[in-house]
């Protein structure tokens, strides 16, 4: 049941005829896990909190550094050397004090990762390395929890939605081979600041679609962005029978 304050706060979303009060109530009842509170996770978490997600679990074991502040908009100079999940939690409470938060100041792995994923309705992958992404993918497959994956470096980004319960490919269908420990990193390759905001905000939008049924989900597709040239493409993904995580071995 929405309060009078909720009706006013979220009125611009409620006005949408295919969102309405029912969509807002679904958001307020939802639990979302955001893994990684850097360039992608920061805007994703901020928009999910502002849009009305009832509970956010924030997971990150890193601390804020000065070089992060160019793009990681949930942190400020006063947060340098603070844990990123804790810093982001304060930013979310400043936007919406009544939001329910779980702050996980660690790099999730093993049973802790499995439990955190199992407690969520949707997971946001905002990590920056393949081992973490592969582990999240396996946990989401095991629990049948949908995964919204994003990546960004230089002026390029990617966005995809994977939902085992609805069939289709998983993250390892896209990247089946074990590669280097880290993907292209911003610290080595550089990144233009607004790019991560664009991709992170798109991740938040895909989460909202999954929870409420608003619009059309990106599930089974890969959005590829070259924002230096404003070239945006949408590609269809297929499940691999020989996928290491979801294939028929």
């Amino acid at each position: 049941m929405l309060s009078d304050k909720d009706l006013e706060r979220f009125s611009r979303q409620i006005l949408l005829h295919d969102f309405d009060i029912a969509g807002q109530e679904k958001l307020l009842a939802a639990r979302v896990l955001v893994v990684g509170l850097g360039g992608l996770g920061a805007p994703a978490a901020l928009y999910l909190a502002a849009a009305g997600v009832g509970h956010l679990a924030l997971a990150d074991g890193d601390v804020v550094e000065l070089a992060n502040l160019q793009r990681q908009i949930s942190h400020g100079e006063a947060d340098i050397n603070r844990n990123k999940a804790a810093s982001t939690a304060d930013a979310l409470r400043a936007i919406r004090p009544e939001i329910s938060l779980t702050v996980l100041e660690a790099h999730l792995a093993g049973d802790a990762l499995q439990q955190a994923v199992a407690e969520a309705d949707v997971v946001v992958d905002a990590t920056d390395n393949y081992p973490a992404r592969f582990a999240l993918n396996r946990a989401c497959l095991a629990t049948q929890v949908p995964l919204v994956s994003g990546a960004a470096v230089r002026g390029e980004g990617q966005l995809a939605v994977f939902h085992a319960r609805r069939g289709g490919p998983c993250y390892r269908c896209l990247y089946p081979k074990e590669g280097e420990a880290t993907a292209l990193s911003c610290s080595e390759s550089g990144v233009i600041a607004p790019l991560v905001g664009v991709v992170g905000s798109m991740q938040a939008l895909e989460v909202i679609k999954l929870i409420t049924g608003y619009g059309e989900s990106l599930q089974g597709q890969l959005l590829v962005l070259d924002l230096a040239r404003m070239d945006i493409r949408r590609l269809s993904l297929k499940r691999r029978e020989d996928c290491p995580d979801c294939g028929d071995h």
Side-chain angles (χ1 to χ4, degrees), residues 96-118:
R96 204 170 121 232
E98 64 273 25
I99 190 172
S100 174
L101 298 173
T102 298
V103 180
L104 304 167
E105 299 184 22
H107 297 298
L108 294 181
D111 291 342
L113 173 62
Q114 196 77 12
Q115 180 178 347
V117 170

Side-chain angles (χ1 to χ4, degrees), residues 62-230:
D62 288 340
V63 297
V64 179
E65 300 175 358
L66 180 61
N68 299 149
L69 303 186
Q70 164 247 11
R71 64 200 178 280
Q72 299 182 15
I73 59 173
S74 61
H75 318 300
E77 284 198 15
D79 298 311
I80 292 175
N81 294 323
R82 288 188 68 203
N83 174 269
K84 289 184 179 181
S87 171
T88 300
D90 287 348
L92 302 189
R93 293 189 185 103
I95 293 173
R96 204 170 121 232
E98 64 273 25
I99 190 172
S100 174
L101 298 173
T102 298
V103 180
L104 304 167
E105 299 184 22
H107 297 298
L108 294 181
D111 291 342
L113 173 62
Q114 196 77 12
Q115 180 178 347
V117 170
E119 292 174 352
D121 296 307
V122 184
V123 173
V124 175
D125 179 1
T127 61
D128 61 358
N129 65 87
Y130 286 123
R133 292 174 184 174
F134 292 162
L136 263 179
N137 183 62
R138 289 190 293 270
C140 286
L141 285 170
T143 56
Q144 303 283 284
V145 174
L147 176 66
V148 178
S149 175
V153 70
R154 298 181 300 223
E156 304 147 26
Q158 292 185 355
L159 178 69
V161 175
F162 306 101
H163 198 332
R165 190 179 299 122
R166 296 180 183 174
C170 76
Y171 183 81
R172 287 299 297 276
C173 293
L174 180 59
Y175 296 104
K177 294 182 179 180
E178 294 283 356
E180 297 181 4
T182 57
L184 288 175
S185 66
C186 296
S187 61
E188 295 177 350
S189 302
V191 62
I192 194 74
L195 170 69
V196 293
V198 171
V199 178
S201 297
M202 285 182 167
Q203 286 182 276
L205 179 57
E206 290 300 318
V207 170
I208 292 170
K209 289 179 184 179
L210 288 168
I211 293 169
T212 65
Y214 172 78
E216 181 181 330
S217 171
L218 195 62
Q219 184 200 350
Q221 300 173 81
L222 176 68
L223 195 68
V224 181
L225 307 95
D226 181 351
L227 295 192
R229 296 169 179 80
M230 278 301 168

Side-chain angles (χ1 to χ4, degrees), residues 1-10 24 27-30 48-56 89-102:
M1 185 82 179
L2 298 179
S3 66
D4 289 343
K5 182 179 180 181
D6 291 335
L7 289 170
E8 182 176 358
R9 177 186 287 272
F10 306 117
Q24 196 62 56
L27 275 188
L28 288 170
L48 290 171
V53 170
H55 183 93
L56 282 171
D90 287 348
L92 302 189
R93 293 189 185 103
I95 293 173
R96 204 170 121 232
E98 64 273 25
I99 190 172
S100 174
L101 298 173
T102 298

